[in-house]
Amino acid sequence: MSALFEPITLRGLTIENRVWMSPMMQFAAEPTGPATGAATDWHFQHFAARAVGGVGLAMVEATSVTEDGRSSEYDLGLWNGVQADSHRRVIDFLHSQGTAAGIQLVHAGRKGSTGRPWSSGSHIEQQWQTVAPSSVAFGGMPAPAELTTARITQVIDAFATSAMHARDAGFDVLELHGAHGYLIHQFLSPVSNQRTDEYGGSRANRMRFATEVVDAVRTQWPEDRPLFFRVSATDWLSGDTDDPRPGWTSEDTVQLAAVLAARGVDLIDVSTGGIVPDAHIPVGPGYQTRFAAEIRRRTSLPTASVGLITDPAQAEAIVQSGEADAVFLARELLRDPYWAHRAARHLGEPLRYPPNYARAFSHRPVVAGR
Ligand SMILES: Cc1cc2nc3c(=O)[nH]c(=O)nc-3n(C[C@H](O)[C@H](O)[C@H](O)COP(=O)(O)O)c2cc1C
């Protein structure tokens, strides 16, 4: 049996294989009215197709815990029951196909208040004041307001409330988005965190927001359901590259992972970058996998690798060699929702197409009218 198609158990959840659908913002949520931030038919087809395509776990895109934490007005949100209910149909369908359902929670912080990426001009349609650890802008974006400690507490509480809604909606996995330059990452990195209170300065202080979010979420997220944390393992600045600017490093990430493991995080989903717009990133096949491998080797935690994993043999090698416990695929699954079946065929695994589609894949000759 291939390693890629071996089930994995995390807490009370067994996931059928290790081909996982990475969270991908669709900018397709309800933008206005009482269902603002709710999932739509677009989300249903987005997940239904990949569940039929055989992924073991499908992770719903970055979903904001507050209204001002959205990156755009078309983002999913999870601060009320209407939004939670909008996911039930998707979750039921995923389960009917043997696919586990995950959701990624985010607060965009200083990267909020943009538009759909394909909109024209400045792509800002409806602006609001963004917030962040410090009033330091990302690239050419407007400067965020510095969060007071009282507002930090409110944001942490919002993560817990969203976790409660995710629990009630029936999600199997919750992932905290601690990567790509969003709020949790903004606290971790010295690029964006210039605070002088207990949330800034030393690495331990910069990690405080992340750990408090984890603690708060764990009070609402059931003991038997796994909690993932997506990290940007490096800012690709000093410590990991020749760029002299101080940043969050791969060594910082190993220390963070050890702390998160002790607080109830079950898997680190390992990405990189996103805190500065101009880091030099050596992009290539599996370019982030070595960070997943290092975290896995140096902590007790399982990891998942993401980033330019497109080839079945490559994915199999990552899991088989123990560099990571699973792979997340993003763009390749947009190109081919049936990638998991293609990989299974390539690796000599039994095909598990739903019976409704079996005739397309059997070797019987096609007979007109049958
Ligand atoms: C359309 C699109 C939307 C994305 N949205 C998210 C997101 O909501 N959360 C996240 O953590 N990463 C997001 N990403 C990043 C992917 O999850 C993934 O980490 C990245 O695309 C690298 O993997 P790939 O080479 O398989 O595409 C997005 C990527 C794409 C292409």
Side-chain angles (χ1 to χ4, degrees), residues 218-230:
R218 262 279 163 229
T219 66
Q220 299 299 322
W221 188 242
E223 270 291 302
D224 61 346
R225 297 191 215 174
L227 178 62
F228 293 7
F229 190 99
R230 177 167 275 200

Side-chain angles (χ1 to χ4, degrees), residues 158-239:
F159 271 98
T161 301
S162 294
M164 178 195 77
H165 287 305
R167 177 196 71 203
D168 293 347
F171 283 105
D172 306 297
V173 173
L174 190 73
E175 173 165 283
L176 294 172
H177 198 343
H180 301 169
Y182 294 115
L183 187 64
I184 294 176
H185 186 185
Q186 287 161 32
F187 272 93
L188 294 173
S189 176
V191 168
S192 42
N193 185 345
Q194 295 173 7
R195 299 178 74 93
T196 53
D197 64 3
E198 70 270 30
Y199 289 98
S202 66
R203 177 168 65 201
N205 277 0
R206 283 180 280 119
M207 281 170 25
R208 189 179 310 278
F209 181 73
T211 55
E212 289 184 356
V213 168
V214 167
D215 290 348
V217 161
R218 262 279 163 229
T219 66
Q220 299 299 322
W221 188 242
E223 270 291 302
D224 61 346
R225 297 191 215 174
L227 178 62
F228 293 7
F229 190 99
R230 177 167 275 200
V231 71
S232 276
T234 174
D235 287 342
W236 299 106
L237 301 174
S238 80

Side-chain angles (χ1 to χ4, degrees), residues 18-267:
R18 288 123 188 278
V19 180
W20 297 351
M21 177 178 174
S22 202
M24 281 179 277
M25 300 190 74
Q26 295 298 293
F27 302 97
E30 293 289 350
T32 54
T36 296
T40 64
D41 282 354
W42 180 262
H43 296 97
F44 185 82
Q45 75 75 27
H46 181 59
F47 292 105
R50 277 99 206 153
V52 169
V55 299
L57 165 71
M59 187 71 72
V60 172
E61 71 197 58
T63 300
S64 184
V65 300
T66 64
E67 199 160 359
D68 72 346
R70 295 175 299 164
S71 71
S72 87
E73 59 195 321
Y74 296 95
D75 288 17
L76 290 175
L78 196 56
W79 58 84
N80 65 42
V82 174
Q83 295 161 339
D85 286 346
S86 73
H87 292 279
R88 287 185 202 278
R89 195 163 71 102
V90 175
I91 295 169
D92 286 348
F93 188 82
L94 291 173
H95 288 165
S96 77
Q97 301 303 306
T99 299
I103 187 165
Q104 185 188 53
L105 295 182
V106 73
H107 189 299
R110 67 180 190 157
K111 278 186 157 179
S113 191
T114 64
R116 291 164 148 170
W118 59 83
S119 301
S120 58
S122 69
H123 78 216
I124 291 175
E125 284 146 34
Q126 178 199 302
Q127 265 184 287
W128 58 87
Q129 174 64 57
T130 58
V131 294
S134 304
S135 185
V136 179
F138 175 79
M141 292 180 73
E146 179 175 314
L147 284 161
T148 61
T149 45
R151 286 207 61 196
I152 289 175
T153 304
Q154 285 171 6
V155 176
I156 293 168
D157 289 347
F159 271 98
T161 301
S162 294
M164 178 195 77
H165 287 305
R167 177 196 71 203
D168 293 347
F171 283 105
D172 306 297
V173 173
L174 190 73
E175 173 165 283
L176 294 172
H177 198 343
H180 301 169
Y182 294 115
L183 187 64
I184 294 176
H185 186 185
Q186 287 161 32
F187 272 93
L188 294 173
S189 176
V191 168
S192 42
N193 185 345
Q194 295 173 7
R195 299 178 74 93
T196 53
D197 64 3
E198 70 270 30
Y199 289 98
S202 66
R203 177 168 65 201
N205 277 0
R206 283 180 280 119
M207 281 170 25
R208 189 179 310 278
F209 181 73
T211 55
E212 289 184 356
V213 168
V214 167
D215 290 348
V217 161
R218 262 279 163 229
T219 66
Q220 299 299 322
W221 188 242
E223 270 291 302
D224 61 346
R225 297 191 215 174
L227 178 62
F228 293 7
F229 190 99
R230 177 167 275 200
V231 71
S232 276
T234 174
D235 287 342
W236 299 106
L237 301 174
S238 80
D240 289 313
T241 72
D242 292 339
D243 192 320
R245 290 174 288 177
W248 180 257
T249 67
S250 52
E251 180 59 32
D252 290 332
T253 297
V254 171
Q255 302 305 322
L256 173 69
V259 170
L260 296 180
R263 298 177 103 109
V265 168
D266 302 295
L267 180 141

Side-chain angles (χ1 to χ4, degrees), residues 1-4 18 296 313-324:
M1 192 191 210
S2 78
L4 198 58
R18 288 123 188 278
R296 195 172 186 269
Q314 174 198 16
E316 171 68 13
I318 289 169
V319 178
Q320 214 269 325
S321 66
E323 288 178 291

